[in-house]
Amino acid sequence: MGYRVAVVGATGNVGREMLNILEEVNFPVDKIHAIASRKSIGVQVSFGNSNIACEDVEQFDFSTVDLVLMSVSGSFSKQWAPKIGAAGPIVIDNSSAWRMDPDVPLIVPEVNPDDVDFAHKKNIIANPNCSTAQLVVALKPLHDRARIKRVVVSTYQSVSGAGKEGMDELWDQTKGVFVLGPSEPKKFPKQIAFNVIPFIGAFNDDGYTDEEAKMWNETHKMIDPAIKLTVTCVRVPVMVGHSEAVNIEFHDPIDEDEARELLRESPGIIVIDKRDDKGYITPKEAQGEFPVFISRIRNDPTVEHGLNLWVVADNLRKGAALNAVQIAQLLDERGLIRTKALA
């Protein structure tokens, strides 16, 4: 038996990827709806071998569907997710609106799958931030083995994390530098082409950004609030794929060889770690792929029990759309999607 599924925000990068992955993994769909704002009514998006026309979120009857995957702004989600959940379907939300709500599970299926059992408290499940999703997949098996004391993360985040406007700006600026001359930044605060920007989101009073705060708050909620974590988030001129340099200090002994084998056996991870000039992963190679890739696993001799890792994933997939679909699969496996009779 299949489900009636709606994808809200279907014209965006992540919304389109949600539709692609639902079809790719053969999620049991009997009826699919692409939902968007009024300005996108009738816009065609692809699902498998067919095209479907976008419907107006204001007019759509959400009581007719069983499951909603949503990739919209936080403010939009704050307004709409409770309404949709009250109509019956479970909402899997990709925004930051519900992640820290104590009654909303924040889930990465490889990390805390049992939290899905609390989905019906508000009929909302939160997807973590894209940079957090890949980080916790890497941290969880190591924490289970040796108890993480402290983590230092530096991110290298692609422009697709800022949506289509971010990708367009990198493309236009790159062309402009060679052909038309540099253009003024619009989406980003400074030029992103041939540059890096050590600022994502908005500054908090402590000097960290809200993007950085998301990473430690969400890691604490999903893994362990006792983990000390400090972050610097950096935007880089890469189209798709986030990378992270991760330094970990543990309470208990663990060395690089044990960590390498443990990570190889862990769900959702592929280890590519050879000590030659091509024995590591880059975001280009991770683009379009499902797993979290880990390379450059090595001991940190400056602390008693320490490791360094290089962690890479497709942020539109594992960082967003794929994780949402994996949550849907988890709900399906556990029989938690309440179906309605098909007309």
Side-chain angles (χ1 to χ4, degrees):
M1 179 180 176
Y3 302 107
R4 290 179 168 182
V5 180
V7 174
V8 179
T11 59
N13 286 341
V14 174
R16 291 176 187 269
E17 201 68 17
M18 286 173 170
L19 289 164
N20 291 338
I21 294 172
L22 283 167
E23 194 274 334
E24 245 179 273
V25 302
N26 294 315
F27 187 78
V29 175
D30 272 343
K31 177 68 175 176
I32 190 79
H33 298 272
I35 312 297
S37 61
R38 186 161 296 173
K39 67 181 180 181
S40 296
I41 296 174
V43 171
Q44 298 281 316
V45 293
S46 61
F47 180 70
N49 294 323
S50 60
N51 290 324
I52 52 176
C54 287
E55 302 172 67
D56 181 8
V57 67
E58 299 277 355
Q59 302 298 322
F60 188 76
D61 181 1
F62 285 98
S63 70
T64 64
V65 296
D66 308 308
L67 183 68
V68 174
L69 277 62
M70 188 152 67
S71 182
V72 294
S73 69
S75 59
F76 187 98
S77 179
K78 277 288 187 185
Q79 177 186 358
W80 279 93
K83 295 179 186 178
I84 296 170
I90 293 179
V91 179
I92 302 173
D93 179 51
N94 195 57
S95 80
S96 61
W98 302 98
R99 292 174 187 157
M100 301 315 296
D101 187 311
D103 292 326
V104 173
L106 176 67
I107 294 176
V108 171
E110 298 93 336
V111 174
N112 58 333
D114 291 343
D115 286 359
V116 79
D117 293 335
F118 303 107
H120 290 298
K121 281 191 173 183
K122 287 188 174 179
N123 269 6
I124 303 171
I125 297 175
N127 229 20
N129 193 36
C130 48
S131 50
T132 307
Q134 67 191 68
L135 177 68
V136 295
V137 170
L139 294 184
K140 182 60 162 62
L142 299 172
H143 182 64
D144 288 346
R145 165 61 186 83
R147 291 190 306 128
I148 293 172
K149 180 179 181 181
R150 181 172 184 261
V151 186
V152 181
V153 183
S154 298
T155 73
Y156 304 75
Q157 294 178 228
S158 67
V159 295
S160 59
K164 184 177 182 298
E165 291 177 348
M167 298 174 78
D168 288 345
E169 186 152 311
L170 174 57
W171 176 246
D172 292 340
Q173 285 184 357
T174 302
K175 289 187 298 181
V177 166
F178 289 110
V179 181
L180 304 172
S183 59
E184 286 298 312
K186 297 176 182 176
K187 181 64 179 179
F188 300 114
K190 297 192 178 188
Q191 178 179 310
I192 185 60
F194 306 97
N195 199 15
V196 298
I197 303 173
F199 170 80
I200 302 175
F203 275 118
N204 295 329
D205 291 341
D206 60 3
Y208 288 88
T209 67
D210 56 359
E211 183 81 0
E212 292 157 352
K214 288 173 190 175
M215 290 190 72
W216 64 69
N217 287 332
E218 294 168 18
T219 300
H220 289 161
K221 183 172 179 177
M222 287 186 284
I223 298 183
D224 188 340
I227 295 173
K228 296 178 180 179
L229 195 147
T230 186
V231 185
T232 301
C233 288
V234 182
R235 188 75 70 190
V236 297
V238 170
M239 280 294 184
V240 177
H242 288 355
S243 307
E244 296 166 354
V246 183
N247 175 264
I248 313 169
E249 183 179 358
F250 298 89
H251 288 281
D252 302 325
I254 185 171
D255 66 17
E256 62 184 49
D257 294 327
E258 183 179 1
R260 195 176 289 110
E261 290 309 308
L262 178 62
L263 292 167
R264 282 195 175 115
E265 296 170 2
S266 299
I269 292 172
I270 289 181
V271 173
I272 298 178
D273 190 24
K274 295 182 180 180
R275 292 181 178 174
D276 61 50
D277 61 0
K278 294 182 181 178
Y280 49 86
I281 196 75
T282 68
K284 180 64 177 175
E285 294 147 345
Q287 186 175 347
E289 301 293 334
F290 280 11
V292 172
F293 295 89
I294 301 180
S295 305
R296 302 291 318 280
I297 303 167
R298 59 208 188 276
N299 294 325
D300 176 2
T302 68
V303 294
E304 187 176 6
H305 309 303
L307 291 173
N308 285 294
L309 312 174
W310 175 249
V311 181
V312 181
D314 184 322
N315 57 292
L316 298 180
R317 292 204 148 205
K318 186 55 190 171
L322 172 63
N323 197 71
V325 174
Q326 288 175 321
I327 293 170
Q329 291 176 308
L330 189 59
L331 289 166
D332 175 43
E333 290 165 9
R334 300 200 178 190
L336 294 172
I337 304 175
R338 297 167 178 165
T339 57
K340 302 170 182 65
L342 293 174

